[in-house]
Amino acid sequence: MTPGPARVTDGDLEAALWRLLAASDSEDATAFVALLDGSREALESADDPCWVVWRHALAARRSLFDEQPEDAVTEVAAAREALDKCPPDAATALALAYLAHVEVTADHVDAAMLLAVDASLLTEQVEVAGSPSKALHQAHRWLSLTLSGLDLEELAVGHAERGHAVAALLPSLEDQWRMLLLSAHQHTELAQTLRRRGDVVRSHELAATALACATGARELGWEPDPRAQDLLDVVQSWALTCSDQLDDAVGPLRRVHRRVHEEGGLWLRGFTDLALGRLLARMGERGPGRGATGEEAVQLLVDAAG
């Protein structure tokens, strides 16, 4: 007798989901598509409404990778319909947050905002009534990324901090490391914005928090992949810039800039150019002979914009 197909459990689906989420916000669309193709049969065999949501949400993300926005709209609509049958728990908050990020990526700002509000309210309910979980800290992670995309940087920082607080109560060093990186990144982005608005004191406070998060990540004992480590190096150097420690920032940032331009993806190269360009522009403001030329700073900023 030929054995039937192995039964797919919720544990199998959850393990696949965490891998897909890790690949979903990277620059490597090929890795995400390969993982999704490998999980398609399992996702299609699941009839629980929550997994129906994820089947459509992940398909929407793939449609955006494939530059098929109309298909993404259809998949998001199907996911939202299935959400009505899901319980008000951390897993549903994560699905809402992820869909909000998909809508931000598709430049559907109003839809993203509504989903983000629903997800945020649900995380508050879960935190009051429940216990820490991977789904909850992932919900905060995707909310932080979504709110950053909506230029709501204060709220993005808040969710990054809440996500790290949840991850710190869980055993995974990888999750803790990634949430510390995200928190460092979001605090630095807000520090840059507030400095531009003239609030130097608060900018310095946020930069100090970012540096503490970066140091905490390095002390965890987790070995990240090289691209994540490069991003941490850039963020830490940018935080040093925001705290006016320009001479301490320039050497490390130039070193990571060389690595990123040899091996990094397009987004990371642009992000690194932006950070180094801003640093060199600040050094140039100190006067001749105190830093790199203004021409180099301008060229880096032009490259980042491109």
Side-chain angles (χ1 to χ4, degrees), residues 207-288:
T209 301
L211 290 170
C213 290
T215 299
R218 295 183 190 282
E219 292 175 348
L220 268 183
W222 170 258
E223 188 69 30
D225 66 78
R227 298 288 73 76
Q229 183 63 61
D230 286 342
L231 178 56
L232 178 63
D233 292 343
V234 176
V235 168
Q236 186 167 9
S237 295
W238 193 358
L240 286 168
T241 302
C242 291
S243 62
D244 292 329
Q245 300 177 62
L246 307 185
D247 293 320
D248 290 337
V250 67
L253 190 49
R254 281 198 180 280
R255 286 192 293 272
V256 70
H257 184 267
R258 286 193 292 270
R259 288 201 307 272
V260 165
H261 273 264
E262 290 173 358
E263 304 172 5
L266 181 63
W267 179 86
L268 186 56
R269 294 201 304 272
F271 181 72
T272 308
D273 284 348
L274 180 63
L276 183 56
R278 284 172 169 167
L279 169 59
L280 297 181
R282 291 276 308 281
M283 295 183 75
E285 292 170 0
R286 301 189 303 188

Side-chain angles (χ1 to χ4, degrees), residues 47-53 55-56 78-89 92 96:
D47 54 7
D48 183 283
C50 294
W51 291 117
V52 173
V53 170
R55 182 165 70 239
H56 290 295
R80 296 187 68 167
E81 182 179 351
L83 273 169
D84 293 337
K85 303 174 184 177
C86 296
D89 58 14
T92 300
L96 282 163

Side-chain angles (χ1 to χ4, degrees), residues 1-193:
M1 178 181 295
T2 302
R7 178 176 175 273
V8 177
T9 67
D10 280 350
D12 296 329
L13 289 167
E14 286 181 2
L17 176 61
W18 304 139
R19 291 192 295 270
L20 284 161
L21 291 181
S24 188
D25 65 339
S26 74
E27 294 186 73
D28 190 356
T30 302
F32 173 80
V33 170
L35 283 169
L36 186 56
D37 285 344
S39 305
R40 178 177 298 169
E41 185 176 344
L43 286 167
E44 290 179 350
S45 70
D47 54 7
D48 183 283
C50 294
W51 291 117
V52 173
V53 170
W54 279 113
R55 182 165 70 239
H56 290 295
L58 294 165
R61 186 71 182 98
R62 177 175 185 163
S63 295
L64 294 177
F65 274 137
D66 293 340
E67 298 184 1
Q68 297 175 338
E70 297 84 2
D71 291 346
V73 169
T74 301
E75 296 290 355
V76 168
R80 296 187 68 167
E81 182 179 351
L83 273 169
D84 293 337
K85 303 174 184 177
C86 296
D89 58 14
T92 300
L94 170 55
L96 282 163
Y98 185 80
L99 282 170
H101 191 265
V102 169
E103 292 286 49
V104 164
T105 306
D107 203 24
H108 300 156
V109 174
D110 291 342
M113 182 71 75
L114 291 173
L115 286 164
V117 169
D118 288 344
S120 183
L121 291 172
L122 189 49
T123 60
E124 292 177 4
Q125 295 175 27
V126 171
E127 284 171 339
V128 170
S131 58
S133 66
K134 188 178 181 76
L136 181 57
H137 92 70
Q138 282 281 317
H140 285 304
R141 171 179 172 77
W142 286 97
L143 272 170
S144 183
L145 293 169
T146 297
L147 293 164
S148 181
L150 293 169
D151 293 328
L152 298 172
E153 293 169 301
E154 293 271 9
L155 295 175
V157 164
H159 277 285
E161 289 181 322
R162 289 167 65 188
H164 173 248
V166 175
L169 298 173
L170 300 171
S172 172
L173 290 181
E174 179 180 7
D175 290 340
Q176 293 174 37
W177 193 95
R178 291 188 179 281
M179 290 308 302
L180 281 167
L181 169 59
L182 178 62
S183 190
H185 189 171
Q186 302 295 44
H187 277 85
T188 304
E189 293 276 7
L190 183 56
Q192 173 70 30
T193 297

